[in-house]
Every structure is written in structure tokens, then in C-alpha cells.
Amino acid sequence: MTLAFATTPLLGLTDVAVIGRVGDAMALGGLVVGALVFDFVFAVFGFLRAGTTGLTAQALGAGRDREVEAVFLRAALLALAIGLGLVVAEPAIMALGLLVVAPGPGVAEAASAYVFVRMFSAPFALMNYAILGSVLGRGRSGLALALQIVVNGTNIVLSILFGLVLDGGIAGVALGTVCGEAVGCLAGLGVLARGLFAGRMPSRAEVFDRRGFGQMLGVNRDIMIRSFCLLSGFALFTRLGAGLGPVTLAANGLLMNVFMTGSYFLDGLATASEQLAGLAVGGRRRAAFDRTVRLTGLWGVGIGLVLAAIMLLAGEALIDFLTIDPDIRAAARTYLSFAAATPLVGALAFVMDGIYIGATWSRTMRDMMLLSLAVFAALGWGLTPILGNHGLWLAFEVFLGLRGATLLAALPRQRDRTFRADPPTAGAA
């Protein structure tokens, strides 16, 4: 699963590198803002992946094979409806994004071009969330890796072709993403239709079962709020960075891509913990659940340490590769140590998110995220005017660390309630 997620940051790095090689700070800033707007909207609907993984794993652990398939079909229907709605709503979404981030005119123009084209990938991208969630919930990590390679490999090749070779710039990069998501969606649906549904297709009544849909919507609601808060934190980080000038905005964007590169390794571990925790809860196996918590916690800290060391050692070379602008390079080097610390500081948050999603303790996860975001907002607005970008990065580190600490503190009570009571309803915790 780590290998599957590790293909995704290569895509972000490729997009930044394609635009960064142009040497235009406005275009690079536009990519940062445009990607933020797009990712904000899509990450809000990331429950289609996370919720599907947890519910699928629990159904598998309980031996309910037809429910495993019904979970995917419910998620697929939601994905298609939401994706088409996002395409229609693109002008309003972009206008709201520019209002929130408030970039300069040149950056806003580039961001608008990027989001307009890339939003056409919405139905395919959200369907890929449902497909990936179902595959990961079944523990089919090899298949997940293959599908991610198809999506991101196609995306990378076509983004370079359309954006750099054919001189399409930021719109060409977005078009490559649309094509990559479409190809991956077709491949995933083909695999599921031929293999995973054999002899286990649920009836229409089972797919539209009121309790099943209610369970999915309950979990998804809380995960959506949690995702909205997480992306709000990234949006606030970008907004405060934009107020420090286009060079600082672009430098922070480069460093955030460095952070995201490390985070996808941790995402693989978190997704493994989703599947293992879901199996343990569905099968009512407390010892297996406790072992999942211990092992993923230890591995999370270990991976965080390794990633932090790698980023400190290779960070300057990576910055030089991603942009040729000397001012952006200098600014990024100044704050590299903050970016390098993020995988270690945030490791516990990734692991705990996986445990809570797999166990469908969505309400507590939502509440701890709301608390962490409130603290980050207070520190960000308070420290940035005093310490500048140093204060902004410090507030961001506190945000990451607090998320993990609060979830860990709440875990014993949640575990005891789950394993001594009847099987919990979704989101009830």
C-alpha cells in the first residue's frame, strides 16, 4: 500500500517541475493555488475512498461477502453524482477559491486556467476513489499498486507531453491529469467487473438498503467534515503565505510538495491500518486490533524519522530541480528544516486516522480535527505577523502534532466501548 501511494507525489512533483522549468513565479504560484482549490474540493469527498475502505474491511472481517460488493456500488453511485455536480459548479468553486486565497491578478489567471480544465476529471477521479477504497478494503494491495501506477503513470507522461513538449503550460498539465484519471477509471472498473464481482453481485434491494446507505452516509459525513477541516488548514497556510509575497508563496508551495512526498509514504501505512483495524472490528478480535495499533504506531514513527533525514539531506537538490528561479530557491532553503520535520511530527496523525477510519470512529476523529484546526488558526494568525513565515511553519507543525496526540489520547475509551458492546453503528463513536 505504501508503494501504491508513493506513485502519487511523483505526479505533484512532475507538475511543479514542468511549470517550474518555465521560470515564471506567477505560473508556479498559479499552479500552487489552482491545485489547492482543486484538491480542497476533491479531498472533501475523499470519504469515498476512506469510508469505502473501512466499511469494506469490516464487512470482510464479518464474512459478509455480498455486503462487500454492495459497499462499492453505493460508493460508485455517490461518486458519479458528486463528480458531475462538481463539473457544473466549477465557475462558482473557482470564484470562491480565489476569494479565500486572494492571490494577485497574474496568479489568479493561471489558477483559473488550471482548475477549469482539470475539473473535467471530477467524475473519473471520484470513481477512482471508490474503486481504490474497495480494493484496499479487501487487502488487495498489489492490485491497488497496479491501478495507481496506471493512473499516475499516464498522468505524468501526458502532463509532460501536453505541458512541456507541446508547450501547453498550466492548461496542458491539467489536461494530462484529466486523461490519467479517465484511463485509470476504465481500468479499475474493468478489473472489478471481471474478477471481484464473480458470483457475489448483490441484488438491487441490497445495494439500496436503507441501513447500509445510512451507515455509509453517517461515516462519510464525519470524514467529509474532517477532510474539509484538514484542507481548510492547508488553505489558511496558503492564504497567510500569499500575504508574505509571491516568492514566499511559491517557496512554500515547493516545500509543501516535499511534505506531500513524505506524507504519501505515511498514507500507505495509514491505509494498511484502516484495513487491519476494520477486519479486527468486524471480526470482534480485540487482540488483533491492539496489535495493529502497536505495530502501525511504531512503523509510523520509524518511517517519519527516515523521511525527515532524507529530506534534510536531499532537500536542497530537490529544490534546485523543481525551480530555476534563484529567489524561490533561496527562500525555500530557508524553511527547508520545517518541511523536513513534518513527516515525523505528523506521523502519529496519519496512523491514528487510519485506525479511526477502519474502526469507523468517525465522530471522534471529526471532533479532534475541529479542535486542532481551531488551535492552528489562532497560532497562524497570531504568530505570522510577528515571526513571518517562520511563525506560519511553526503553527503548521503544532497543527500536525496536535491531531495525532488528541486521537491517541481518545483511543483507549473508544476501544473499550467498541469491544465490550454490540457491533457499533457507523459514526456512533
Side-chain angles (χ1 to χ4, degrees):
M1 291 181 182
T2 297
L3 291 174
F5 280 102
T7 63
T8 300
L10 298 177
L11 170 60
L13 292 173
T14 299
D15 289 351
V16 171
V18 168
I19 302 303
R21 300 303 292 179
V22 177
D24 184 350
M26 292 296 181
L28 186 56
L31 178 64
V32 171
V33 174
L36 174 68
V37 171
F38 180 85
D39 292 343
F40 186 93
V41 173
F42 273 40
V44 166
F45 300 107
F47 61 74
L48 290 167
R49 204 285 302 160
T52 303
T53 299
L55 292 173
T56 299
Q58 287 194 19
L60 189 65
R64 302 171 62 202
D65 292 342
R66 292 170 69 87
E67 178 63 15
V68 169
E69 312 302 348
V71 167
F72 167 69
L73 292 176
R74 293 174 196 135
L77 290 171
L78 288 174
L80 182 60
I82 295 170
L84 293 175
L86 288 175
V87 173
V88 173
E90 186 275 330
I93 292 170
M94 190 66 236
L96 179 60
L98 293 178
L99 180 64
V100 171
V101 179
V107 172
E109 182 179 356
S112 297
Y114 178 82
V115 173
F116 173 77
V117 176
R118 190 174 174 186
M119 193 60 76
F120 285 101
S121 71
F124 306 112
L126 295 185
M127 188 67 75
N128 284 333
Y129 285 176
I131 293 169
L132 185 61
S134 182
V135 169
L136 291 175
R138 305 163 197 253
R140 300 288 299 274
S141 55
L143 179 56
L145 172 60
L147 291 175
Q148 288 298 95
I149 289 175
V150 170
V151 172
N152 295 322
T154 304
N155 198 334
I156 288 170
V157 171
L158 294 182
S159 292
I160 294 173
L161 175 63
F162 296 148
L164 197 59
V165 177
L166 299 180
D167 200 26
I170 198 166
V173 167
L175 180 60
T177 300
V178 175
C179 295
E181 295 286 2
V183 170
C185 179
L186 293 175
L189 289 175
V191 169
L192 290 179
R194 287 179 308 141
L196 300 181
F197 280 17
R200 301 192 304 178
M201 179 67 74
S203 67
R204 181 174 180 178
E206 288 174 312
V207 173
F208 290 96
D209 174 68
R210 179 178 298 181
R211 183 179 180 278
F213 253 114
Q215 184 184 38
M216 173 166 283
L217 292 175
V219 171
N220 289 348
R221 175 201 63 216
D222 293 333
I223 295 177
M224 182 175 69
I225 294 171
R226 167 261 186 193
S227 299
F228 184 85
C229 291
L230 180 61
L231 268 293
S232 294
F234 285 108
L236 178 59
F237 181 88
T238 303
R239 173 64 184 267
L240 294 174
L244 300 173
V247 172
T248 299
L249 173 64
N252 283 350
L254 291 181
L255 294 175
M256 193 57 69
N257 270 276
V258 174
F259 163 63
M260 294 306 293
T261 300
S263 74
Y264 280 104
F265 284 89
L266 292 168
D267 261 339
L269 181 64
T271 306
S273 68
E274 289 175 27
Q275 203 265 346
L276 294 171
L279 283 174
V281 170
R284 316 299 294 163
R285 298 190 296 271
R286 177 166 180 159
F289 179 85
D290 290 342
R291 184 167 174 78
T292 295
V293 173
R294 287 195 302 272
L295 289 178
T296 53
L298 290 172
W299 274 91
V301 173
I303 291 174
L305 281 169
V306 171
L307 291 173
I310 292 174
M311 289 180 184
L312 281 175
L313 294 174
E316 292 190 4
L318 181 58
I319 290 168
D320 290 345
F321 172 75
L322 293 176
T323 181
I324 60 175
D325 188 299
D327 292 333
I328 298 175
R329 283 180 171 179
R333 286 191 178 94
T334 301
Y335 307 106
L336 176 60
S337 59
F338 283 104
T342 51
L344 178 58
V345 174
L348 185 59
F350 282 89
V351 171
M352 288 295 105
D353 275 353
I355 297 294
Y356 275 68
I357 289 171
T360 59
W361 297 339
S362 55
R363 187 179 302 171
T364 300
M365 183 175 65
R366 175 201 67 192
D367 293 344
M368 296 304 101
M369 175 60 79
L370 287 168
L371 172 62
S372 300
L373 178 62
V375 172
F376 172 55
L379 290 176
W381 286 108
L383 294 178
T384 303
I386 301 172
L387 301 176
N389 206 38
H390 287 93
L392 177 57
W393 274 100
L394 180 60
F396 184 70
E397 302 284 2
V398 172
F399 175 54
L400 294 178
L402 187 60
R403 285 182 54 226
T406 53
L407 290 174
L408 179 62
L411 188 142
R413 179 174 59 87
Q414 297 296 127
R415 178 196 57 199
D416 292 343
R417 184 194 311 185
T418 295
F419 287 98
R420 73 165 175 252
D422 293 331
T425 57

